[in-house]
Amino acid sequence: MSASVLFDAPGPKARFRNLVYSVVGSIGLAALIAWVCYRLYDKGQFAGELWDIFNYAGIRENILEALLSTLKVFALAGVFSLVFAVLLCVARLSDHKPVRWVAVVFIDLFRSIPLLITIFALWVGILGHMTPMWALVLGLTIYNGCVQAEVLRAGVNSVPKGQVEAAYALGLRKTQVTASVLFPQAVRAMLPSIISQLVVTLKDTSLGYIILYPELLYSARLIANNTPVGGVYPTVQTVIVFGAIYISLCLALAWLAKFVERRGSRSKAGIVPAGAKELEEAAAPAAPETKGPGGAAPPSK
């Protein structure tokens, strides 16, 4: 068995210690989970009747409206943040030093400020009166746009310089090189990171409950705190239902990312240059002519 070059293979005593630590840690974790479950059971959180609240039409409508509100904010913030990221990335890569430094300061500033502070500051009136929805959308756009701009910049810098030099040698301007050479390859290379940040954007919509925007987390808090059954609040049931909704949305985004990546790789591999079919036909050997009796060619039909 070959040993790794990063660390020495553990000896008998080290393997025994690792085994002991694993067993003790597993027992401790199992004991903690059992204690939590016992406490929840003791408070009546596992009672079957607590699930009955989700049979009410009003509760289901509330959940559906919260889901639509979350998706609306996510769609707006996702699109706006990607557009804003392209603008910031172009400014960050600009040859003009003032433009480049403004972009650098803006990106570093809003990546350093907690997103919750940005959203709350927009809501209380830095830019005048703003509804909770647009305060949430603008805050998500600014923060995620700054992060996505750095992701795109990393993708642009990963493109081989020879391609850029060849594009300039063909007489393309910088705008054409950026739009037709750099950004398509940058997006393809950084697509997993872009989708991962979109997942973060989706989860960050839950910060809207701070500014009273009726998204999923706000609706979950209302249901868990205002619909007791027999004096017991359905906390566990609400966490399970709304957690499943969030997990389903994130899995859908992950599936979309894999689908787009597969389609992109297939389209890249399946490109047929113009005239390739004609060249193949010209290079193929001609079929031998069939001659009639006496060596004469058969009459044409």
Side-chain angles (χ1 to χ4, degrees):
M1 184 177 68
S2 60
S4 174
V5 297
L6 298 179
F7 61 92
D8 296 331
K13 292 184 179 180
R15 288 198 297 269
F16 178 75
R17 285 197 303 269
N18 293 339
L19 179 60
V20 172
Y21 295 155
S22 300
V23 171
V24 172
S26 300
I27 293 175
L29 181 61
L32 178 61
I33 294 175
W35 180 78
V36 171
C37 291
Y38 172 75
R39 293 291 297 172
L40 292 175
Y41 175 79
D42 187 56
K43 292 181 178 296
Q45 287 293 327
F46 293 153
E49 57 269 17
L50 293 178
W51 291 97
D52 294 339
I53 63 170
F54 298 105
N55 294 326
Y56 299 147
I59 295 293
R60 293 199 298 267
E61 290 176 1
N62 193 315
I63 295 175
L64 180 59
E65 292 175 359
L67 176 61
L68 294 177
S69 299
T70 298
L71 292 177
K72 179 170 65 174
V73 168
F74 167 68
L76 292 173
V79 173
F80 291 164
S81 64
L82 290 176
V83 174
F84 191 45
V86 172
L87 297 177
L88 285 176
C89 183
V90 171
R92 182 75 169 79
L93 298 172
S94 175
D95 294 332
H96 303 285
K97 195 171 182 179
V99 175
R100 186 169 65 251
W101 276 107
V102 168
V104 170
V105 171
F106 187 90
I107 291 173
D108 291 343
L109 175 64
F110 283 98
R111 286 175 65 199
S112 303
I113 298 176
L115 176 57
L116 182 59
I117 295 178
T118 302
I119 294 173
F120 189 76
L122 292 170
W123 181 56
V124 297
I126 284 184
L127 298 179
H129 179 69
M130 186 174 293
T131 62
M133 187 196 80
W134 286 110
L136 182 59
V137 168
L138 188 56
L140 292 173
T141 298
I142 293 174
Y143 174 77
N144 292 283
C146 293
V147 177
Q148 298 279 31
E150 290 297 284
V151 171
L152 289 176
R153 186 172 70 90
V156 169
N157 290 334
S158 69
V159 178
K161 293 184 179 180
Q163 297 189 19
V164 179
E165 294 173 355
Y168 282 126
L170 292 174
L172 298 180
R173 297 188 298 272
K174 183 175 181 179
T175 304
Q176 295 173 316
V177 172
T178 302
S180 60
V181 177
L182 293 178
F183 269 102
Q185 297 187 68
V187 171
R188 184 186 297 274
M190 306 306 293
L191 184 61
S193 299
I194 293 173
I195 299 297
S196 297
Q197 191 59 37
L198 287 177
V199 172
V200 174
T201 305
L202 173 61
K203 293 188 293 186
D204 284 344
T205 57
S206 60
L207 297 176
Y209 85 94
I210 294 293
I211 58 176
L212 306 179
Y213 180 69
E215 43 75 46
L216 280 172
L217 183 58
Y218 184 84
S219 176
R221 294 178 74 246
L222 286 179
I223 294 174
N225 296 331
N226 296 288
T227 55
V229 178
V232 179
Y233 292 93
T235 304
V236 173
Q237 289 73 17
T238 304
V239 169
I240 292 175
V241 170
F242 284 86
I245 294 175
Y246 274 114
I247 292 173
S248 300
L249 293 176
C250 293
L251 289 178
L253 271 179
W255 177 86
L256 177 62
K258 293 180 180 178
F259 174 76
V260 172
E261 190 173 0
R262 286 197 302 267
R263 288 294 300 270
S265 60
R266 278 205 304 267
S267 63
K268 184 179 180 181
I271 292 175
V272 179
K277 185 175 181 181
E278 290 77 3
L279 291 175
E280 290 179 0
E281 293 177 352
E289 293 184 356
T290 303
K291 296 185 178 182
S300 59
K301 295 183 181 179

